[in-house]
Amino acid sequence: MMVELTAVPGAALPVAALAEHLRLARGFSDDGSQDATLERCLRAACAAIEARIGKALFERRFALTLLAWQSADEHVLPLAPIRRIDVVRLITRAGTELVVEDAGYLLQPDRHRPVLKAAGVRLPVPAQGGSIEVEFTAGYASDWGGIPADLQQAVMMLAAEYWGQEADAERGVPFAVAVLLEPHRPLRLRGMGQ
């Protein structure tokens, strides 16, 4: 289970750029009356794109709760790009927390599949009935300008679809948006006969 610990601040969202993209307030003064709706469209577009590509656009903190590691010496994290591992905790069934020393693990960055690796022989294991909590910071950038240009364009195009309420659930993501997202999607490799 993964939860978002911090949200994207409204000031980081390109509301004015979306208004310009939609050509709102042409010939009129911008009174900001549409800003809340534009922000909702941007948040929805960002969320849809992040879900499709498995990457966080804006930098923020997440917590991943596990019952066990994928293997004794490593665990592939479900989101990229990971900036840093903030803390790893072992939690007992009774709720007691033990913070794992930074020297016990390391982050192996990857564009699509970052990995938390054991610094020694194996990753620390929780007691019977316990769990593991990994808090990490992920995202391309803390501001709009640091997000790759093709992803910026995809967000604008999808937010414009949401603004016009032209989004069709049966149609899925518009073709032009899907093309922009394709280089950012993780490859799914399968062995023979699978």
Side-chain angles (χ1 to χ4, degrees), residues 24-33:
L24 296 178
R26 291 285 180 169
F28 302 96
S29 61
D30 182 9
D31 63 0
S33 63

Side-chain angles (χ1 to χ4, degrees), residues 15 32-43 163:
V15 172
S33 63
Q34 299 297 318
D35 287 0
T37 304
L38 293 171
E39 184 176 324
R40 282 194 304 276
C41 291
L42 284 165
R43 287 188 187 280
W163 169 264

Side-chain angles (χ1 to χ4, degrees), residues 92-169:
T92 66
R93 185 187 315 202
T96 306
E97 297 181 2
L98 171 67
V99 174
V100 177
E101 294 294 325
D102 294 354
Y105 58 87
L106 54 95
L107 174 64
Q108 178 181 317
D110 186 90
R111 183 175 172 203
H112 298 294
R113 298 174 47 90
V115 179
L116 181 71
K117 295 184 81 69
V121 177
R122 61 182 297 139
L123 289 166
V125 180
Q128 177 94 19
S131 61
I132 307 156
E133 186 176 83
V134 180
E135 286 186 20
F136 58 91
T137 300
Y140 283 105
S142 58
D143 63 3
W144 179 248
I147 295 171
D150 53 350
L151 293 176
Q152 288 182 16
Q153 183 64 22
V155 168
M156 286 294 171
M157 292 169 69
L158 193 54
E161 288 269 326
Y162 292 157
W163 169 264
Q165 298 177 354
E166 298 167 9
D168 181 357

Side-chain angles (χ1 to χ4, degrees), residues 34-83:
Q34 299 297 318
D35 287 0
T37 304
L38 293 171
E39 184 176 324
R40 282 194 304 276
C41 291
L42 284 165
R43 287 188 187 280
C46 287
I49 288 170
E50 287 180 342
R52 190 165 181 93
I53 65 174
K55 296 182 176 58
L57 299 177
F58 288 96
E59 191 173 297
R60 55 204 193 275
R61 293 186 65 227
F62 296 86
L64 175 66
T65 303
L66 309 163
L67 297 178
W69 302 108
Q70 290 169 338
S71 72
D73 62 342
E74 68 179 27
H75 187 89
V76 176
L77 297 167
L79 195 63
I82 303 286
R83 295 291 180 189

